């Protein structure tokens, strides 16, 4: 099993490392990144092992109500020494050595054991808890991959914008220097262009550092060297069409999350397990009833049965009635009831927190649609403003500072638009996960918004 998993990790990592070099137009998409992380992330691998271990609780509990068969056998070498007094009062000692053997085969079938029924119910709840926790952790991994993936995309956008702005400022600086040297420009234009150029250079360095950190986080999740992380597929603005979430009511999403959230499913399973623990504890006050069948054979069992063989068979019922255990059972019942109350309050707190999270992501999607539309218009307006400023500068109606301001305004609008788009995608993913929607269908939906060909 471990060997096959290692093969899967190697194969997926090889795909990530070599596909781009084999085809420069190919870009790593979000789905492939998530699948690679699923095979590599240590937290997920640990949770899978924990879920697999928890699965064994149920067969262990079920085995308690099935018949049990046991065999016991023994062989002994006995030394018998006896002392007796004769008629004259003298003691005589005699010694005897003999072998004794015994064997017994016993079958026991529980008929009435309330603790076993409670244990089975508890085991089922624990298995459901482990499965839900694995689901929660896979959702968490999806969120981490998405955050790193789109942070890397945003970092690339910011670096590209900062570099383009630096290039534009450099051109403006060169133009201002030529104008000043020719006696048709002002020193303030040169100084302003130089200041903007220096600031743009610092912003390029900052954007490069942010991009490097984002790519490193993503590479660690995917299990590939950061130096060989391939190009990422970006949003296809022609296919990316943000829309308000459906259902269109936050209350409906909250109700859906309360029903299907894996986090709440895990907590509800723990509550059922705690309630089953109460039943187990209370079973300590109840009698148990078993069917017992035994076949035994013994020879030379005692000094009075040397060289005698006994064979015995019997079938019967065995009743065990607890009378007093020093208060232990009552204490375990109180402890279990307190744990049930703790789980109830934990579940209530989680429901409230989930409601806030759902509303936050629902609002982020709803407002994101409006914000993206507004920023798209802002970019168009900034582009037109830049074009007008450049033409006015040529006509002498505007200064270099006006063009620099227009350049910066366009860069800010483009950066904010990219942030709004990626923020909408993240909000979409988080809302779907909080509501317990099918994870891979959610990944596929996001992946369709990307362009994987260069």
């Amino acid at each position: 099993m471990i060997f096959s998993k290692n093969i899967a990790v190697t194969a997926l990592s090889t795909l990530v490392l070599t596909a781009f070099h084999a085809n420069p137009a190919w870009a790593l998409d979000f789905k492939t990144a998530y699948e690679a992380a699923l095979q590599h992330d240590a937290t997920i691998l640990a949770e899978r092992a924990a879920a697999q271990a928890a699965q064994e609780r149920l067969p262990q509990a079920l085995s308690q109500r099935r018949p049990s068969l046991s065999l016991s056998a023994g062989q002994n070498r006995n030394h018998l020494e006896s002392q007796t007094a004769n008629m004259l009062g003298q003691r005589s000692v005699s010694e005897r050595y003999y072998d004794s053997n015994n064997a017994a085969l016993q079958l026991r079938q529980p008929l009435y054991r309330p603790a076993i029924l409670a244990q089975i119910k508890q085991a089922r709840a624990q298995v459901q808890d482990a499965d839900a926790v694995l689901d929660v952790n896979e959702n968490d991994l999806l969120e981490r991959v998405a955050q790193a993936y789109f942070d890397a995309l945003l970092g690339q956008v910011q670096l590209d914008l900062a570099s383009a702005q630096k290039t534009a400022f450099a051109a403006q600086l060169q133009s201002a220097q030529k104008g000043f040297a020719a006696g048709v420009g002002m020193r303030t234009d040169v100084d302003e262009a130089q200041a903007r150029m220096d600031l743009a250079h610092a912003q390029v360095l900052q954007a490069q550092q942010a991009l490097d950190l984002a790519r490193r986080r993503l590479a660690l999740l995917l299990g590939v060297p950061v130096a060989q992380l391939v190009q990422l597929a970006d949003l296809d603005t022609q296919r990316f069409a943000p829309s308000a979430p459906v259902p269109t009511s936050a209350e409906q999403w909250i109700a859906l999350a309360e029903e299907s959230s894996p986090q709440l499913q895990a907590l509800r399973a723990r509550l059922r397990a705690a309630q089953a623990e109460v039943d187990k504890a209370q079973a300590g006050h109840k009698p148990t009833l078993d069917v017992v069948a035994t076949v035994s054979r013994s020879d030379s069992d005692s000094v009075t049965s040397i060289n005698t063989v006994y064979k015995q068979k019997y079938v019967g019922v065995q009743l065990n009635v607890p009378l007093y255990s020093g208060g232990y059972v009552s204490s375990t019942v109180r402890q279990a009831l307190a744990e049930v109350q703790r789980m109830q309050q934990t579940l209530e707190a989680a429901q409230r927190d989930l409601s806030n999270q759902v509303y936050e992501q629902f609002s982020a999607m709803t407002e994101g649609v409006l914000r993206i539309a507004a920023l798209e218009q802002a970019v168009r307006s900034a582009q037109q403003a830049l074009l007008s400023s450049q033409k006015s500068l040529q006509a002498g109606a505007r200064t270099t500072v006006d063009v620099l301001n227009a350049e910066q305004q366009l860069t800010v609008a483009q950066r904010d638009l990219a942030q709004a788009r990626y923020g909408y995608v993240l909000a979409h993913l988080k809302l779907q996960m909080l509501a317990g929607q099918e994870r891979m269908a959610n990944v596929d939906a996001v992946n369709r918004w990307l362009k994987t060909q260069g």
Side-chain angles (χ1 to χ4, degrees), residues 249-261 264 351-352 354-360 362 431 434-435:
S249 168
E251 287 69 23
Q252 289 176 291
W253 278 100
I254 292 172
L256 187 61
E258 288 179 348
E259 178 184 354
S260 305
S261 166
L264 294 188
Q351 287 176 326
R352 295 173 184 174
L354 178 65
S355 175
N356 289 333
Q357 292 183 55
V358 170
Y359 186 81
E360 179 182 353
F362 178 87
L431 182 61
L434 289 171

Side-chain angles (χ1 to χ4, degrees), residues 17 42 59 85 105 119 124 132 164 189 196 214 232 265-266 299 323 338 407-408 414 436 449:
L17 291 174
L105 181 65
Q119 185 177 354
R124 287 197 175 99
D189 289 342
R196 298 292 182 94
L232 304 181
Q265 288 177 351
D299 64 84
L323 297 178
E407 287 276 5
Q408 189 166 8
Q414 290 172 328
W449 289 335

Side-chain angles (χ1 to χ4, degrees), residues 170-225:
Q172 292 296 329
L173 175 60
Q174 185 178 15
S175 176
Q177 288 173 335
K178 288 181 179 179
F180 180 71
V184 295
M186 295 184 294
R187 179 67 190 182
T188 55
D189 289 342
V190 176
D191 294 341
E192 181 70 24
Q194 182 66 59
R196 298 292 182 94
M197 175 67 180
D198 294 340
L199 179 60
H201 179 66
Q203 290 173 339
V204 167
L205 295 177
Q206 182 181 10
Q208 183 64 62
Q209 183 182 28
L211 175 60
D212 291 343
L213 290 175
R215 289 176 64 85
R216 178 174 177 79
R217 285 196 297 269
L218 182 60
L220 289 175
L221 286 170
L222 272 57
V224 297

Side-chain angles (χ1 to χ4, degrees), residues 87-146:
M87 296 179 61
L88 299 177
Q90 297 174 333
R91 289 185 173 275
S92 62
V93 178
S94 63
E95 292 184 320
R96 188 170 185 180
Y97 295 87
Y98 67 95
D99 294 326
S100 64
N101 303 279
N102 61 79
L105 181 65
Q106 185 178 77
L107 175 70
R108 181 179 293 272
Q109 171 63 62
L111 292 180
Y112 177 73
R113 288 198 186 182
I116 292 179
L117 298 178
Q119 185 177 354
I120 293 173
K121 183 165 61 173
Q122 185 179 56
R124 287 197 175 99
Q126 290 169 335
V127 169
Q128 293 166 355
D129 176 24
D131 290 341
V133 168
L134 178 59
D135 203 14
V136 169
N137 281 278
E138 289 182 346
N139 280 347
D140 177 70
L141 177 63
L142 176 57
E143 184 175 340
R144 286 187 283 132
V145 171

